């Protein structure tokens, strides 16, 4: 029997039920229970850095009891459009086509080659081990510098070299400026590739309803509306029939901001099989296939006048991405940041920058917390410290005298960064006071006479947050710069909030509840916030670039204020008075003149919802409000801050002991001090990880050597010092809350502060280091090289 054979008319829910009974696995009918039972996916991945797939034998795997189906790359490609990680603002970037699973050639270790869908994850993994692949191993393109040399193996057919894109800023006038300089310092920096290591790995549960051509996905992701658009586009579905639910996510840090091939394959399988399919990446899969970041080799030189003023800066960056530009946001921004944000808070009369983005056979590169800002900060601050030592200038004063002059209003840096409303000197002065810098210097000198090497590092940073539509919108990338918010007054007098923002542990829901409660005169506990559901929440950009407060909470405040006005208009109609004469406080409508309570908010809500006949003729009660907000006047909200590090280096073992760390961020208007401080501390810890511990190490054949938590080191509680946070609160503008994003402020300056402190500790030994992470072995090598010179 089929639906078409049924004579009686049926409703939508009955059609859906009947259709689910006809969903087939291997051509057999399934009942409702079987159709709803979740299947589990496991992947066979490429063991090589670069290999051609000659054949795949799946019969044995498909015959294992409990296996529903085995999919290969061509199977999935037949049901899913390919994608390219290009960007319209950078038309010379021409990233090759990519599919969910490798089709003919696999181009990084860990790339999916086949997917098994089975009744349990264990069965799926056992079956994946039975798949027989015949490989032709190809030369690994694993050294980004060698990859650019003439005659290097070219990763992609049809291309002449491995250069994905070359970016240039500034002018050749920098050459003359260097010629006139009293001092020119040069350094080669090497920043190790690492990743975000969120506590919760990437996860997806996809379910497809064939009767409605409807796809519902629960996903550990930062941007549900982006994912809705992408899944609809790639699977040829109507966007209104795709629902993405991203509930509370256990950490993301930019790692869950892009589109992943294995997750696309899961959605395809759910559609083909007609049953829910689930995939949760294990830690090995995370290390090989999560987004990687910060694989850069940078040659930088900085010129100075005799008084310590910067005369010129040149930055030449080789940014090693994976075999493709990441989709949909493109692997460009890190290279841009390295150029634009090196010494960005200082006056640089002459500048030239170049970033070469290079393909290689390693994992895909995307956006990790603060993107390239920590690298630009570290490069500039290390060179400033070296100049201070060479010229005999105090390291604090060399920063102070070179700060951009904003006294006459906004300025644009020589690298094109708009600087406005910064508090550079205030942050520096506050840091010096909080560190008690003279006392630290005295202690450092005293301990050096005892053979103990302590270092003090200072790193000022510029933080670009809350981007507007210029970068992604003009780039043809479906990433929303706006957030929307609906605030609804319930009959109980309490409120519900539906927001386009998302939460990965940073407390966006808490902050939204606070501002809505403040707008409506109720307690934050009386506000229920729903985030991360593309079906019920207004369109929004989700979480990235510290936009949760500056955009997501801002729009919640605006929606709350709009609803407040509507409530007061309703109350004024009831009381036959002007709404401006009333206020909302403690769940009551009060008269401003007397502070007398006239109605409870619940009374007003029940009249509006259930008894509008008590209102004047023609008055329409509005019990909800919607607002959208996009920062159109600026490409980003630019903030600043500074960090200090105090540490000790054991010159016999190379081990670094962190003693204290200070952060002074300009955070604008503060909504929740506790959330803000802990966001900054968490960011510092991740910055310390990049400075001292974390590195995805590959051998020269593109094999990942640090693919477990035993090999990939992250900072633990024992390694983290006290982190002192002192906030500078300079609200921005008078038409908004004035909050600035700070989610990346901790990470942005931590690498530079720690690196400067290590170099400061090594000064008596004549040693220095410009490679992160600063492992004990690298520090000992630097000391040994200095002794041999």
């Amino acid at each position: 029997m089929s639906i078409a054979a049924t004579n009686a008319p049926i409703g939508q829910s009955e059609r859906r039920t009947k259709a689910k009974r006809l969903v087939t696995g291997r051509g057999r009918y399934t009942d409702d229970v079987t159709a709803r039972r979740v299947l589990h996916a496991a992947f066979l991945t490429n063991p090589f850095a670069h290999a051609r797939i000659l054949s795949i034998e799946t019969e044995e795997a498909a015959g294992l009891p409990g296996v529903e189906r085995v999919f290969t790359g061509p199977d999935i490609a037949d049901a899913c459009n390919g994608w390219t990680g290009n960007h319209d603002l950078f038309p010379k970037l021409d990233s090759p086509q990519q599919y969910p699973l490798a089709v003919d050639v696999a181009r990084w270790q860990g790339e999916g080659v086949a997917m098994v869908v089975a009744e349990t994850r264990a069965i799926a993994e056992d079956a994946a081990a039975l798949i027989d692949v015949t490989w032709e191993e190809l030369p690994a393109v694993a050294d980004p510098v060698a990859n650019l040399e003439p005659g290097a193996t070219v990763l992609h057919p049809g291309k002449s070299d491995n250069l994905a894109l070359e970016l240039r800023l500034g002018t050749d006038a920098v050459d003359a400026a260097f010629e006139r300089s009293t001092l020119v310092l040069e350094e080669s920096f090497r920043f190790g590739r690492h990743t975000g290591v969120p506590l919760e790995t990437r996860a997806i549960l996809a379910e497809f309803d064939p009767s409605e051509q409807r796809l519902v996905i629960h996903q550990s992701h930062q941007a549900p509306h982006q994912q809705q658009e992408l899944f609809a586009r790639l699977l040829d579905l109507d966007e209104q029939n795709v629902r993405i639910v991203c509930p509370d996510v256990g950490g993301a840090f930019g790692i869950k901001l892009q589109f992943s091939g294995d997750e696309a394959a899961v959605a395809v399988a759910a559609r083909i099989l007609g049953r829910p399919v689930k995939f949760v990446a294990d830690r090995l899969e995370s290390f090989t296939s999560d987004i990687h970041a910060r694989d850069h080799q940078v040659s930088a030189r900085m010129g100075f006048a005799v008084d310590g003023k910067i005369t010129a800066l040149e930055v030449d960056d080789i940014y090693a991405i994976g075999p493709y530009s990441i989709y949909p946001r493109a692997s460009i921004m890190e290279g841009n940041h390295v150029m634009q944000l090196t010494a960005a808070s200082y006056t640089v009369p002459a500048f030239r920058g170049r970033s070469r983005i290079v393909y290689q056979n390693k994992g895909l590169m995307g956006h990790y917390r603060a993107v390239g800002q920590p690298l630009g900060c570290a490069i500039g601050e290390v060179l400033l410290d070296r100049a201070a030592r060479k010229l005999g200038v105090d390291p604090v004063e060399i920063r102070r005298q070179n700060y951009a002059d904003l006294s006459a209003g906004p300025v644009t840096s020589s690298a094109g960064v708009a600087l406005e409303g910064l508090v550079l000197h205030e942050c520096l002065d506050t840091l010096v006071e909080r560190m008690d810098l003279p006392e630290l210097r005295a202690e450092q000198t005293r301990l050096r006479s005892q053979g103990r090497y302590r270092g003090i590092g200072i790193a000022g940073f510029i933080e670009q947050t809350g981007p507007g539509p210029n970068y992604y919108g003009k780039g043809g990338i479906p990433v929303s710069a706006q957030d929307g918010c609906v605030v609804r007054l319930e009959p109980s007098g309490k409120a519900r909030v539906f927001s386009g923002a998302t939460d990965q542990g940073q407390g966006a829901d808490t902050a939204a509840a606070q501002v809505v409660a403040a707008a409506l005169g109720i307690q934050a506990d009386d506000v229920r916030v729903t985030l991360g559901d593309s079906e019920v929440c207004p369109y929004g950009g989700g979480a990235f670039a510290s936009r949760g407060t500056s955009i997501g909470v801002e729009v919640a405040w605006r929606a709350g204020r709009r609803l407040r006005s509507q409530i007061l208009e309703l109350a004024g109609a009831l009381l036959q008075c002007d709404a401006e004469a009333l206020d909302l406080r403690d769940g009551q409508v009060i008269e401003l003149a007397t502070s007398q309570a006239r109605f409870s908010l619940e009374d007003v809500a029940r009249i509006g919802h259930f008894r509008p006949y008590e209102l004047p003729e023609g008055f329409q009660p509005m019990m909800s409000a919607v607002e959208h907000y996009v920062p159109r006047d600026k490409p980003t909200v630019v903030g600043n801050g500074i960090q200090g590090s105090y540490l000790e280096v054991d010159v016999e073992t190379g081990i670094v002991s962190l003693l204290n760390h200070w952060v002074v961020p300009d955070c604008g208007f503060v909504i929740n001090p506790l959330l803000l401080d802990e966001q900054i501390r968490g960011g510092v810890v991740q910055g310390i990880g990049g400075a001292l511990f974390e590195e995805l190490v590959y051998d020269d054949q593109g094999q990942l050597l640090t693919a477990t938590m035993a090999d990939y080191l992250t900072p633990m509680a024992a390694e983290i010092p006290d982190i002192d946070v002192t906030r500078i609160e300079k609200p921005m503008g008078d038409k908004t809350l004035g909050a600035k994003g700070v989610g990346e402020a901790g990470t942005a300056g931590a690498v530079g502060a720690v690196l400067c402190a290590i170099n400061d500790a090594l000064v008596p030994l004549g040693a220095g280091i410009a490679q992160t992470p600063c492992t004990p072995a690298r520090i000992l090598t630097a000391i040994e090289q200095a002794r041999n010179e």
Side-chain angles (χ1 to χ4, degrees), residues 189-191 294-298 317-319 334 338 375:
F189 294 85
R190 179 72 173 89
F191 298 97
R294 298 180 188 146
D295 189 349
H296 291 256
Q297 298 184 43
V298 183
D317 172 40
I318 295 178
Y319 173 24
E334 261 193 19
V338 170
L375 282 57

Side-chain angles (χ1 to χ4, degrees), residues 54-87:
L54 299 179
S55 66
I56 301 181
E57 302 296 333
T58 62
E59 288 79 4
E60 186 177 2
L64 192 70
V67 171
E68 188 71 13
R69 182 161 172 180
V70 179
F71 294 90
T72 63
D75 296 333
I76 299 295
D78 285 344
C80 181
N81 298 317
W83 60 82
T84 56
N86 293 325
H87 195 300

